[in-house]
Structure formats: structure tokens, C-alpha cells
PDB file of all heavy atoms in Angstrom:
ATOM      1  N   LEU A  11    -132.830 191.781 -22.829  1.00  0.00           N
ATOM      2  CA  LEU A  11    -133.853 192.022 -21.820  1.00  0.00           C
ATOM      3  C   LEU A  11    -133.584 191.300 -20.507  1.00  0.00           C
ATOM      4  O   LEU A  11    -134.292 191.506 -19.528  1.00  0.00           O
ATOM      5  CB  LEU A  11    -135.222 191.579 -22.350  1.00  0.00           C
ATOM      6  CG  LEU A  11    -135.848 192.422 -23.453  1.00  0.00           C
ATOM      7  CD1 LEU A  11    -137.037 191.694 -24.060  1.00  0.00           C
ATOM      8  CD2 LEU A  11    -136.276 193.772 -22.908  1.00  0.00           C
ATOM      9  N   HIS A  12    -132.593 190.436 -20.489  1.00  0.00           N
ATOM     10  CA  HIS A  12    -132.388 189.562 -19.337  1.00  0.00           C
ATOM     11  C   HIS A  12    -132.125 190.352 -18.059  1.00  0.00           C
ATOM     12  O   HIS A  12    -131.444 191.362 -18.061  1.00  0.00           O
ATOM     13  CB  HIS A  12    -131.208 188.621 -19.593  1.00  0.00           C
ATOM     14  CG  HIS A  12    -131.013 187.607 -18.516  1.00  0.00           C
ATOM     15  ND1 HIS A  12    -130.115 187.787 -17.479  1.00  0.00           N
ATOM     16  CD2 HIS A  12    -131.594 186.411 -18.292  1.00  0.00           C
ATOM     17  CE1 HIS A  12    -130.161 186.738 -16.676  1.00  0.00           C
ATOM     18  NE2 HIS A  12    -131.049 185.890 -17.149  1.00  0.00           N
ATOM     19  N   ARG A  13    -132.711 189.876 -16.969  1.00  0.00           N
ATOM     20  CA  ARG A  13    -132.491 190.476 -15.653  1.00  0.00           C
ATOM     21  C   ARG A  13    -132.807 189.416 -14.602  1.00  0.00           C
ATOM     22  O   ARG A  13    -133.370 188.361 -14.905  1.00  0.00           O
ATOM     23  CB  ARG A  13    -133.380 191.696 -15.461  1.00  0.00           C
ATOM     24  CG  ARG A  13    -134.861 191.335 -15.384  1.00  0.00           C
ATOM     25  CD  ARG A  13    -135.751 192.546 -15.314  1.00  0.00           C
ATOM     26  NE  ARG A  13    -137.137 192.116 -15.231  1.00  0.00           N
ATOM     27  CZ  ARG A  13    -138.155 192.860 -15.638  1.00  0.00           C
ATOM     28  NH1 ARG A  13    -137.951 194.027 -16.182  1.00  0.00           N
ATOM     29  NH2 ARG A  13    -139.390 192.414 -15.516  1.00  0.00           N
ATOM     30  N   ASP A  14    -132.476 189.724 -13.360  1.00  0.00           N
ATOM     31  CA  ASP A  14    -132.667 188.763 -12.276  1.00  0.00           C
ATOM     32  C   ASP A  14    -133.797 189.122 -11.322  1.00  0.00           C
ATOM     33  O   ASP A  14    -134.289 188.252 -10.600  1.00  0.00           O
ATOM     34  CB  ASP A  14    -131.368 188.613 -11.484  1.00  0.00           C
ATOM     35  CG  ASP A  14    -130.258 188.001 -12.320  1.00  0.00           C
ATOM     36  OD1 ASP A  14    -130.550 187.065 -13.085  1.00  0.00           O
ATOM     37  OD2 ASP A  14    -129.110 188.465 -12.221  1.00  0.00           O
ATOM     38  N   ASP A  15    -134.226 190.377 -11.267  1.00  0.00           N
ATOM     39  CA  ASP A  15    -135.227 190.770 -10.270  1.00  0.00           C
ATOM     40  C   ASP A  15    -136.169 191.841 -10.819  1.00  0.00           C
ATOM     41  O   ASP A  15    -135.770 192.996 -10.993  1.00  0.00           O
ATOM     42  CB  ASP A  15    -134.521 191.306  -9.022  1.00  0.00           C
ATOM     43  CG  ASP A  15    -135.490 191.573  -7.873  1.00  0.00           C
ATOM     44  OD1 ASP A  15    -136.568 190.933  -7.851  1.00  0.00           O
ATOM     45  OD2 ASP A  15    -135.169 192.411  -7.019  1.00  0.00           O
ATOM     46  N   PRO A  16    -137.470 191.462 -11.046  1.00  0.00           N
ATOM     47  CA  PRO A  16    -137.957 190.091 -11.119  1.00  0.00           C
ATOM     48  C   PRO A  16    -137.344 189.386 -12.324  1.00  0.00           C
ATOM     49  O   PRO A  16    -136.987 190.060 -13.301  1.00  0.00           O
ATOM     50  CB  PRO A  16    -139.479 190.254 -11.270  1.00  0.00           C
ATOM     51  CG  PRO A  16    -139.664 191.615 -11.835  1.00  0.00           C
ATOM     52  CD  PRO A  16    -138.540 192.450 -11.342  1.00  0.00           C
ATOM     53  N   PRO A  17    -137.206 188.092 -12.254  1.00  0.00           N
ATOM     54  CA  PRO A  17    -136.405 187.398 -13.260  1.00  0.00           C
ATOM     55  C   PRO A  17    -137.060 187.356 -14.635  1.00  0.00           C
ATOM     56  O   PRO A  17    -138.279 187.300 -14.769  1.00  0.00           O
ATOM     57  CB  PRO A  17    -136.283 185.984 -12.680  1.00  0.00           C
ATOM     58  CG  PRO A  17    -137.506 185.828 -11.828  1.00  0.00           C
ATOM     59  CD  PRO A  17    -137.751 187.177 -11.234  1.00  0.00           C
ATOM     60  N   ILE A  18    -136.220 187.404 -15.665  1.00  0.00           N
ATOM     61  CA  ILE A  18    -136.625 187.074 -17.027  1.00  0.00           C
ATOM     62  C   ILE A  18    -135.840 185.838 -17.431  1.00  0.00           C
ATOM     63  O   ILE A  18    -134.608 185.853 -17.481  1.00  0.00           O
ATOM     64  CB  ILE A  18    -136.366 188.225 -18.010  1.00  0.00           C
ATOM     65  CG1 ILE A  18    -137.309 189.394 -17.713  1.00  0.00           C
ATOM     66  CG2 ILE A  18    -136.557 187.757 -19.449  1.00  0.00           C
ATOM     67  CD1 ILE A  18    -137.167 190.566 -18.662  1.00  0.00           C
ATOM     68  N   VAL A  19    -136.552 184.757 -17.666  1.00  0.00           N
ATOM     69  CA  VAL A  19    -135.951 183.484 -18.042  1.00  0.00           C
ATOM     70  C   VAL A  19    -135.867 183.422 -19.563  1.00  0.00           C
ATOM     71  O   VAL A  19    -136.873 183.602 -20.259  1.00  0.00           O
ATOM     72  CB  VAL A  19    -136.789 182.300 -17.510  1.00  0.00           C
ATOM     73  CG1 VAL A  19    -136.231 180.972 -18.011  1.00  0.00           C
ATOM     74  CG2 VAL A  19    -136.818 182.325 -15.989  1.00  0.00           C
ATOM     75  N   VAL A  20    -134.678 183.178 -20.097  1.00  0.00           N
ATOM     76  CA  VAL A  20    -134.476 183.049 -21.533  1.00  0.00           C
ATOM     77  C   VAL A  20    -134.583 181.579 -21.904  1.00  0.00           C
ATOM     78  O   VAL A  20    -133.759 180.758 -21.494  1.00  0.00           O
ATOM     79  CB  VAL A  20    -133.107 183.613 -21.955  1.00  0.00           C
ATOM     80  CG1 VAL A  20    -132.858 183.361 -23.440  1.00  0.00           C
ATOM     81  CG2 VAL A  20    -133.043 185.109 -21.661  1.00  0.00           C
ATOM     82  N   SER A  21    -135.607 181.259 -22.666  1.00  0.00           N
ATOM     83  CA  SER A  21    -135.899 179.870 -23.013  1.00  0.00           C
ATOM     84  C   SER A  21    -135.657 179.633 -24.497  1.00  0.00           C
ATOM     85  O   SER A  21    -136.199 180.349 -25.347  1.00  0.00           O
ATOM     86  CB  SER A  21    -137.365 179.553 -22.673  1.00  0.00           C
ATOM     87  OG  SER A  21    -137.696 178.244 -23.067  1.00  0.00           O
ATOM     88  N   GLY A  22    -134.844 178.652 -24.812  1.00  0.00           N
ATOM     89  CA  GLY A  22    -134.591 178.279 -26.201  1.00  0.00           C
ATOM     90  C   GLY A  22    -135.738 177.431 -26.715  1.00  0.00           C
ATOM     91  O   GLY A  22    -135.956 176.320 -26.227  1.00  0.00           O
ATOM     92  N   CYS A  23    -136.470 177.934 -27.696  1.00  0.00           N
ATOM     93  CA  CYS A  23    -137.689 177.268 -28.154  1.00  0.00           C
ATOM     94  C   CYS A  23    -137.394 176.275 -29.275  1.00  0.00           C
ATOM     95  O   CYS A  23    -136.740 176.607 -30.273  1.00  0.00           O
ATOM     96  CB  CYS A  23    -138.688 178.316 -28.629  1.00  0.00           C
ATOM     97  SG  CYS A  23    -140.292 177.618 -29.079  1.00  0.00           S
ATOM     98  N   VAL A  24    -137.915 175.073 -29.104  1.00  0.00           N
ATOM     99  CA  VAL A  24    -137.791 173.997 -30.092  1.00  0.00           C
ATOM    100  C   VAL A  24    -139.195 173.563 -30.487  1.00  0.00           C
ATOM    101  O   VAL A  24    -140.071 173.415 -29.630  1.00  0.00           O
ATOM    102  CB  VAL A  24    -137.013 172.805 -29.494  1.00  0.00           C
ATOM    103  CG1 VAL A  24    -136.972 171.640 -30.465  1.00  0.00           C
ATOM    104  CG2 VAL A  24    -135.600 173.226 -29.110  1.00  0.00           C
ATOM    105  N   GLY A  25    -139.411 173.369 -31.774  1.00  0.00           N
ATOM    106  CA  GLY A  25    -140.711 172.906 -32.247  1.00  0.00           C
ATOM    107  C   GLY A  25    -140.659 171.485 -32.752  1.00  0.00           C
ATOM    108  O   GLY A  25    -139.585 170.893 -32.886  1.00  0.00           O
ATOM    109  N   PRO A  26    -141.802 170.917 -33.051  1.00  0.00           N
ATOM    110  CA  PRO A  26    -141.835 169.549 -33.567  1.00  0.00           C
ATOM    111  C   PRO A  26    -141.220 169.460 -34.957  1.00  0.00           C
ATOM    112  O   PRO A  26    -141.247 170.429 -35.728  1.00  0.00           O
ATOM    113  CB  PRO A  26    -143.328 169.219 -33.607  1.00  0.00           C
ATOM    114  CG  PRO A  26    -143.992 170.545 -33.781  1.00  0.00           C
ATOM    115  CD  PRO A  26    -143.147 171.525 -33.005  1.00  0.00           C
ATOM    116  N   ARG A  27    -140.681 168.311 -35.286  1.00  0.00           N
ATOM    117  CA  ARG A  27    -140.140 168.127 -36.637  1.00  0.00           C
ATOM    118  C   ARG A  27    -141.250 168.180 -37.675  1.00  0.00           C
ATOM    119  O   ARG A  27    -141.075 168.719 -38.766  1.00  0.00           O
ATOM    120  CB  ARG A  27    -139.403 166.795 -36.728  1.00  0.00           C
ATOM    121  CG  ARG A  27    -138.753 166.565 -38.095  1.00  0.00           C
ATOM    122  CD  ARG A  27    -137.960 165.276 -38.140  1.00  0.00           C
ATOM    123  NE  ARG A  27    -137.209 165.153 -39.384  1.00  0.00           N
ATOM    124  CZ  ARG A  27    -136.354 164.168 -39.656  1.00  0.00           C
ATOM    125  NH1 ARG A  27    -136.153 163.218 -38.743  1.00  0.00           N
ATOM    126  NH2 ARG A  27    -135.713 164.132 -40.804  1.00  0.00           N
ATOM    127  N   GLY A  28    -142.410 167.643 -37.318  1.00  0.00           N
ATOM    128  CA  GLY A  28    -143.534 167.618 -38.243  1.00  0.00           C
ATOM    129  C   GLY A  28    -144.525 168.725 -37.962  1.00  0.00           C
ATOM    130  O   GLY A  28    -144.208 169.742 -37.329  1.00  0.00           O
ATOM    131  N   ASP A  29    -145.735 168.525 -38.414  1.00  0.00           N
ATOM    132  CA  ASP A  29    -146.812 169.482 -38.235  1.00  0.00           C
ATOM    133  C   ASP A  29    -147.188 169.561 -36.763  1.00  0.00           C
ATOM    134  O   ASP A  29    -147.323 168.548 -36.088  1.00  0.00           O
ATOM    135  CB  ASP A  29    -148.020 169.033 -39.065  1.00  0.00           C
ATOM    136  CG  ASP A  29    -149.076 170.113 -39.201  1.00  0.00           C
ATOM    137  OD1 ASP A  29    -149.507 170.647 -38.159  1.00  0.00           O
ATOM    138  OD2 ASP A  29    -149.487 170.393 -40.336  1.00  0.00           O
ATOM    139  N   GLY A  30    -147.377 170.795 -36.260  1.00  0.00           N
ATOM    140  CA  GLY A  30    -147.748 170.963 -34.859  1.00  0.00           C
ATOM    141  C   GLY A  30    -149.177 170.578 -34.556  1.00  0.00           C
ATOM    142  O   GLY A  30    -149.574 170.538 -33.386  1.00  0.00           O
ATOM    143  N   TYR A  31    -149.963 170.287 -35.590  1.00  0.00           N
ATOM    144  CA  TYR A  31    -151.366 169.907 -35.400  1.00  0.00           C
ATOM    145  C   TYR A  31    -151.628 168.439 -35.727  1.00  0.00           C
ATOM    146  O   TYR A  31    -152.758 167.965 -35.597  1.00  0.00           O
ATOM    147  CB  TYR A  31    -152.270 170.752 -36.295  1.00  0.00           C
ATOM    148  CG  TYR A  31    -152.505 172.170 -35.829  1.00  0.00           C
ATOM    149  CD1 TYR A  31    -153.215 173.061 -36.618  1.00  0.00           C
ATOM    150  CD2 TYR A  31    -152.034 172.626 -34.587  1.00  0.00           C
ATOM    151  CE1 TYR A  31    -153.450 174.364 -36.201  1.00  0.00           C
ATOM    152  CE2 TYR A  31    -152.252 173.919 -34.172  1.00  0.00           C
ATOM    153  CZ  TYR A  31    -152.967 174.791 -34.977  1.00  0.00           C
ATOM    154  OH  TYR A  31    -153.193 176.077 -34.580  1.00  0.00           O
ATOM    155  N   ALA A  32    -150.621 167.709 -36.207  1.00  0.00           N
ATOM    156  CA  ALA A  32    -150.840 166.327 -36.622  1.00  0.00           C
ATOM    157  C   ALA A  32    -149.603 165.496 -36.340  1.00  0.00           C
ATOM    158  O   ALA A  32    -148.478 165.992 -36.399  1.00  0.00           O
ATOM    159  CB  ALA A  32    -151.185 166.268 -38.113  1.00  0.00           C
ATOM    160  N   ALA A  33    -149.816 164.226 -36.045  1.00  0.00           N
ATOM    161  CA  ALA A  33    -148.711 163.295 -35.812  1.00  0.00           C
ATOM    162  C   ALA A  33    -148.647 162.312 -36.971  1.00  0.00           C
ATOM    163  O   ALA A  33    -148.642 161.101 -36.783  1.00  0.00           O
ATOM    164  CB  ALA A  33    -148.911 162.563 -34.487  1.00  0.00           C
ATOM    165  N   ASP A  34    -148.579 162.858 -38.197  1.00  0.00           N
ATOM    166  CA  ASP A  34    -148.636 161.989 -39.371  1.00  0.00           C
ATOM    167  C   ASP A  34    -147.286 161.394 -39.739  1.00  0.00           C
ATOM    168  O   ASP A  34    -147.211 160.468 -40.540  1.00  0.00           O
ATOM    169  CB  ASP A  34    -149.209 162.761 -40.568  1.00  0.00           C
ATOM    170  CG  ASP A  34    -148.558 164.121 -40.763  1.00  0.00           C
ATOM    171  OD1 ASP A  34    -147.640 164.444 -39.998  1.00  0.00           O
ATOM    172  OD2 ASP A  34    -148.974 164.847 -41.683  1.00  0.00           O
ATOM    173  N   ALA A  35    -146.190 161.919 -39.195  1.00  0.00           N
ATOM    174  CA  ALA A  35    -144.862 161.370 -39.457  1.00  0.00           C
ATOM    175  C   ALA A  35    -144.102 161.362 -38.138  1.00  0.00           C
ATOM    176  O   ALA A  35    -143.613 162.404 -37.688  1.00  0.00           O
ATOM    177  CB  ALA A  35    -144.124 162.212 -40.496  1.00  0.00           C
ATOM    178  N   THR A  36    -144.015 160.203 -37.504  1.00  0.00           N
ATOM    179  CA  THR A  36    -143.422 160.120 -36.174  1.00  0.00           C
ATOM    180  C   THR A  36    -142.007 159.544 -36.234  1.00  0.00           C
ATOM    181  O   THR A  36    -141.612 158.890 -37.200  1.00  0.00           O
ATOM    182  CB  THR A  36    -144.284 159.256 -35.249  1.00  0.00           C
ATOM    183  OG1 THR A  36    -144.372 157.923 -35.783  1.00  0.00           O
ATOM    184  CG2 THR A  36    -145.682 159.841 -35.122  1.00  0.00           C
ATOM    185  N   MET A  37    -141.253 159.804 -35.172  1.00  0.00           N
ATOM    186  CA  MET A  37    -139.889 159.295 -35.037  1.00  0.00           C
ATOM    187  C   MET A  37    -139.763 158.476 -33.760  1.00  0.00           C
ATOM    188  O   MET A  37    -140.536 158.667 -32.818  1.00  0.00           O
ATOM    189  CB  MET A  37    -138.894 160.463 -34.927  1.00  0.00           C
ATOM    190  CG  MET A  37    -138.803 161.376 -36.096  1.00  0.00           C
ATOM    191  SD  MET A  37    -137.591 162.718 -35.777  1.00  0.00           S
ATOM    192  CE  MET A  37    -138.522 163.718 -34.601  1.00  0.00           C
ATOM    193  N   THR A  38    -138.772 157.628 -33.730  1.00  0.00           N
ATOM    194  CA  THR A  38    -138.389 157.010 -32.464  1.00  0.00           C
ATOM    195  C   THR A  38    -137.687 158.068 -31.617  1.00  0.00           C
ATOM    196  O   THR A  38    -137.272 159.124 -32.111  1.00  0.00           O
ATOM    197  CB  THR A  38    -137.425 155.844 -32.686  1.00  0.00           C
ATOM    198  OG1 THR A  38    -136.210 156.349 -33.266  1.00  0.00           O
ATOM    199  CG2 THR A  38    -138.036 154.792 -33.618  1.00  0.00           C
ATOM    200  N   ALA A  39    -137.535 157.772 -30.344  1.00  0.00           N
ATOM    201  CA  ALA A  39    -136.821 158.705 -29.473  1.00  0.00           C
ATOM    202  C   ALA A  39    -135.390 158.913 -29.946  1.00  0.00           C
ATOM    203  O   ALA A  39    -134.869 160.036 -29.928  1.00  0.00           O
ATOM    204  CB  ALA A  39    -136.840 158.195 -28.036  1.00  0.00           C
ATOM    205  N   ALA A  40    -134.742 157.843 -30.429  1.00  0.00           N
ATOM    206  CA  ALA A  40    -133.363 157.956 -30.913  1.00  0.00           C
ATOM    207  C   ALA A  40    -133.287 158.846 -32.151  1.00  0.00           C
ATOM    208  O   ALA A  40    -132.370 159.666 -32.285  1.00  0.00           O
ATOM    209  CB  ALA A  40    -132.800 156.571 -31.215  1.00  0.00           C
ATOM    210  N   ALA A  41    -134.245 158.701 -33.050  1.00  0.00           N
ATOM    211  CA  ALA A  41    -134.268 159.555 -34.243  1.00  0.00           C
ATOM    212  C   ALA A  41    -134.524 161.007 -33.864  1.00  0.00           C
ATOM    213  O   ALA A  41    -133.954 161.927 -34.459  1.00  0.00           O
ATOM    214  CB  ALA A  41    -135.327 159.053 -35.219  1.00  0.00           C
ATOM    215  N   ALA A  42    -135.372 161.227 -32.865  1.00  0.00           N
ATOM    216  CA  ALA A  42    -135.642 162.589 -32.397  1.00  0.00           C
ATOM    217  C   ALA A  42    -134.384 163.207 -31.792  1.00  0.00           C
ATOM    218  O   ALA A  42    -134.124 164.410 -31.975  1.00  0.00           O
ATOM    219  CB  ALA A  42    -136.770 162.577 -31.371  1.00  0.00           C
ATOM    220  N   GLU A  43    -133.591 162.414 -31.095  1.00  0.00           N
ATOM    221  CA  GLU A  43    -132.322 162.918 -30.568  1.00  0.00           C
ATOM    222  C   GLU A  43    -131.435 163.413 -31.696  1.00  0.00           C
ATOM    223  O   GLU A  43    -130.871 164.508 -31.633  1.00  0.00           O
ATOM    224  CB  GLU A  43    -131.597 161.825 -29.785  1.00  0.00           C
ATOM    225  CG  GLU A  43    -132.228 161.471 -28.449  1.00  0.00           C
ATOM    226  CD  GLU A  43    -131.411 160.432 -27.704  1.00  0.00           C
ATOM    227  OE1 GLU A  43    -130.238 160.736 -27.356  1.00  0.00           O
ATOM    228  OE2 GLU A  43    -131.912 159.319 -27.494  1.00  0.00           O
ATOM    229  N   ARG A  44    -131.301 162.608 -32.738  1.00  0.00           N
ATOM    230  CA  ARG A  44    -130.428 162.982 -33.856  1.00  0.00           C
ATOM    231  C   ARG A  44    -130.935 164.243 -34.543  1.00  0.00           C
ATOM    232  O   ARG A  44    -130.143 165.119 -34.906  1.00  0.00           O
ATOM    233  CB  ARG A  44    -130.330 161.826 -34.856  1.00  0.00           C
ATOM    234  CG  ARG A  44    -129.575 160.610 -34.331  1.00  0.00           C
ATOM    235  CD  ARG A  44    -129.292 159.610 -35.423  1.00  0.00           C
ATOM    236  NE  ARG A  44    -130.505 159.003 -35.951  1.00  0.00           N
ATOM    237  CZ  ARG A  44    -131.073 157.903 -35.462  1.00  0.00           C
ATOM    238  NH1 ARG A  44    -130.545 157.293 -34.414  1.00  0.00           N
ATOM    239  NH2 ARG A  44    -132.169 157.398 -36.007  1.00  0.00           N
ATOM    240  N   TYR A  45    -132.243 164.349 -34.730  1.00  0.00           N
ATOM    241  CA  TYR A  45    -132.787 165.497 -35.441  1.00  0.00           C
ATOM    242  C   TYR A  45    -132.626 166.787 -34.647  1.00  0.00           C
ATOM    243  O   TYR A  45    -132.229 167.825 -35.197  1.00  0.00           O
ATOM    244  CB  TYR A  45    -134.270 165.274 -35.770  1.00  0.00           C
ATOM    245  CG  TYR A  45    -134.861 166.475 -36.488  1.00  0.00           C
ATOM    246  CD1 TYR A  45    -134.624 166.675 -37.838  1.00  0.00           C
ATOM    247  CD2 TYR A  45    -135.621 167.418 -35.801  1.00  0.00           C
ATOM    248  CE1 TYR A  45    -135.131 167.792 -38.500  1.00  0.00           C
ATOM    249  CE2 TYR A  45    -136.137 168.539 -36.448  1.00  0.00           C
ATOM    250  CZ  TYR A  45    -135.881 168.713 -37.798  1.00  0.00           C
ATOM    251  OH  TYR A  45    -136.371 169.834 -38.437  1.00  0.00           O
ATOM    252  N   HIS A  46    -132.948 166.759 -33.364  1.00  0.00           N
ATOM    253  CA  HIS A  46    -132.974 167.988 -32.565  1.00  0.00           C
ATOM    254  C   HIS A  46    -131.623 168.374 -31.967  1.00  0.00           C
ATOM    255  O   HIS A  46    -131.473 169.493 -31.472  1.00  0.00           O
ATOM    256  CB  HIS A  46    -134.014 167.844 -31.445  1.00  0.00           C
ATOM    257  CG  HIS A  46    -135.424 167.858 -31.940  1.00  0.00           C
ATOM    258  ND1 HIS A  46    -136.017 168.983 -32.444  1.00  0.00           N
ATOM    259  CD2 HIS A  46    -136.360 166.866 -32.019  1.00  0.00           C
ATOM    260  CE1 HIS A  46    -137.272 168.708 -32.814  1.00  0.00           C
ATOM    261  NE2 HIS A  46    -137.493 167.431 -32.568  1.00  0.00           N
ATOM    262  N   GLU A  47    -130.651 167.470 -32.012  1.00  0.00           N
ATOM    263  CA  GLU A  47    -129.342 167.740 -31.409  1.00  0.00           C
ATOM    264  C   GLU A  47    -128.689 169.029 -31.915  1.00  0.00           C
ATOM    265  O   GLU A  47    -128.231 169.853 -31.102  1.00  0.00           O
ATOM    266  CB  GLU A  47    -128.392 166.563 -31.645  1.00  0.00           C
ATOM    267  CG  GLU A  47    -126.973 166.793 -31.159  1.00  0.00           C
ATOM    268  CD  GLU A  47    -126.730 166.222 -29.771  1.00  0.00           C
ATOM    269  OE1 GLU A  47    -127.246 165.140 -29.476  1.00  0.00           O
ATOM    270  OE2 GLU A  47    -126.017 166.886 -28.989  1.00  0.00           O
TER     271      GLU A  47
END
């Protein structure tokens, strides 16, 4: 579907490692880097 006029931006979607409604299991920023890399 990609085009330039009007533009369609292709965005790579990343979700949370845990539940999107709760922060019951958190990571440090460094751990998040390793997981999402």
C-alpha cells in the first residue's frame, strides 16, 4: 500500500513485554533493550 502522495507511513509496531493493561512485571531499560532488540 505504500505511496508518497498523500503519504502512507509504514510503522513497525512493538508491544509491551507484559500485559498492556498492567505493570505487574517491569524491566530495567537495559533489560528492555535486550528483549526488544
Side-chain angles (χ1 to χ4, degrees):
L11 289 168
H12 185 264
R13 67 185 180 206
D14 295 319
D15 187 25
I18 291 182
V19 175
V20 175
S21 177
C23 185
V24 175
R27 183 177 187 175
D29 193 307
Y31 284 175
D34 48 2
T36 61
M37 297 179 287
T38 63
E43 289 183 63
R44 291 190 294 271
Y45 179 78
H46 289 290
E47 175 96 39

